[in-house]
Structures are given as structure tokens and as C-alpha cells.
Amino acid sequence: MALETPVCEFGLPAVDFSLPGTDGKIWTLDQCRGENGLLVMFICNHCPYVQAIMDRLVRDTNALKELGVNSVAIMSNDVNDYPEDAFDNMKRVAEQQQFSFPYLYDETQQVAQAYGAVCTPDFFGYNGDLQLQYRGRLDASKKQAAASDVRRDLFEAMKQVAETGHGPENQIPSMGCSIKWRAA
């Protein structure tokens, strides 16, 4: 079932975390942040919405890094029900896609809950003070990639955040597969 992200709560502070990465390191919020901002992305390996944008995600995070905005991806799905999202497969995807950002495993799902993540992909764009400024889509892609000349919503928004500290007033929600929560 496809879900949409809620409206951006401007100014909401980023939530700290300490999670293992596919590179063998433990990463915290402070280690991930960039001088001009941080993009926190909840993604996974199996979701067709994430798969459809993977090349654009890599392209845009690389471009944002040049603007002083770092990125981090977090995988929070229940790997017992979705083994394609297991840690070893996360390592494979990060290597194949040449991620220039940490890809972290939220085994307890507490980080996804603290952020209020609802789907994959779910983007949280923070300014240099780690205040939320963007909660929207990457672009018009859904389960298939949009046309190559489509507006780069996330990149343009985070470029604005890097330059001004503020995100755009109008944001189009991201759409994707629900986070796969563990049974209570």
C-alpha cells in the first residue's frame, strides 16, 4: 500500500541516533551533518519506489554534498518479513550503487519512530542548525522513474536550504511503501 508523507513541520529539531553503517562504523547525527544541512532518508532495498529513484538519489546526494549538505540513509524495515532488506543486502546495495553517504541499520525501529517516518522513501531535510525545512518528494517519480527532465524537487529545496537556511513553503509529499513495522 502506497503512503504519503505528512506536511513539513518547519523548525522541528533532528533526532539524535547511534546506528551501525554498512561501512562497519557506528554513526551519530553529529557525524552525519554537513555545514549547511543534513538530508535524512528512510529507504530500503526492496521497495519499488526507492528502486525507481536510486540513480537520481545518488546523483542528487552527490550534488548536495558540494553545497555543504550531507546525507544519511536509514533502513528500518523488519528484516524477518523482508529479508531483501537484511544488513548483508544493504551492504551489497550500498556498494553497487556507490553510496557516498552512510547507509544505516535501525534494527529496533526506534529511530524511524522518533522521526515519524511513514514510508520508503521518506526525506527529512534539515538546515545547518538541524531544524526541519523539507519533507517532500525527490521528484515526480512513483513506482517508475519520471522523465529525465522532471523538476528535481528535493535537490532544489535543499539547495535553497543550504543558501538561506529555509525550505520552500510549498512541498509535494513523498510517496512510497509503508515502513514494515514488527508485529507488537
Side-chain angles (χ1 to χ4, degrees), residues 11-171:
L12 195 68
V15 178
D16 199 6
F17 53 79
S18 178
L19 295 171
T22 57
D23 59 1
K25 298 179 185 171
I26 300 294
W27 289 86
T28 64
L29 177 67
D30 231 28
Q31 292 169 312
C32 292
R33 74 188 299 175
E35 180 182 340
N36 295 323
L38 175 64
L39 175 62
V40 177
M41 310 173 284
F42 288 86
I43 67 170
C44 69
N45 303 334
H46 87 273
C47 173
Y49 292 89
V50 174
Q51 292 172 355
I53 62 164
M54 193 62 80
D55 59 333
R56 295 165 190 226
L57 187 73
V58 170
R59 174 200 67 193
D60 288 353
T61 54
N62 287 337
L64 288 172
K65 194 174 220 171
E66 293 177 21
L67 300 174
V69 176
N70 286 351
S71 300
V72 60
I74 301 173
M75 201 300 295
S76 301
N77 281 348
D78 178 1
V79 299
N80 292 323
D81 287 344
Y82 294 86
E84 192 175 337
D85 293 334
F87 194 67
D88 285 342
N89 291 327
M90 289 174 58
K91 289 179 186 177
R92 180 183 46 77
V93 167
E95 188 175 301
Q96 284 176 344
Q97 298 295 329
Q98 299 180 324
F99 285 175
S100 62
F101 49 82
Y103 191 16
L104 312 181
Y105 181 34
D106 177 22
E107 184 176 8
T108 66
Q109 301 183 316
Q110 290 176 343
V111 175
Q113 290 170 343
Y115 272 82
V118 295
C119 61
T120 57
D122 199 344
F123 300 105
F124 294 78
Y126 295 91
N127 62 19
D129 295 326
L130 295 178
Q131 298 169 332
L132 188 63
Q133 297 297 315
Y134 188 72
R135 180 101 187 260
R137 67 185 187 179
L138 183 91
D139 63 21
S141 298
K142 296 204 180 298
K143 282 189 182 179
Q144 291 81 34
S148 59
D149 62 347
V150 72
R151 184 177 191 281
R152 295 164 66 186
D153 295 303
L154 179 136
F155 175 78
E156 294 297 328
M158 291 308 295
K159 181 176 187 264
Q160 179 180 325
V161 169
E163 293 169 351
T164 70
H166 302 285
E169 287 297 317
N170 296 318
Q171 301 178 13

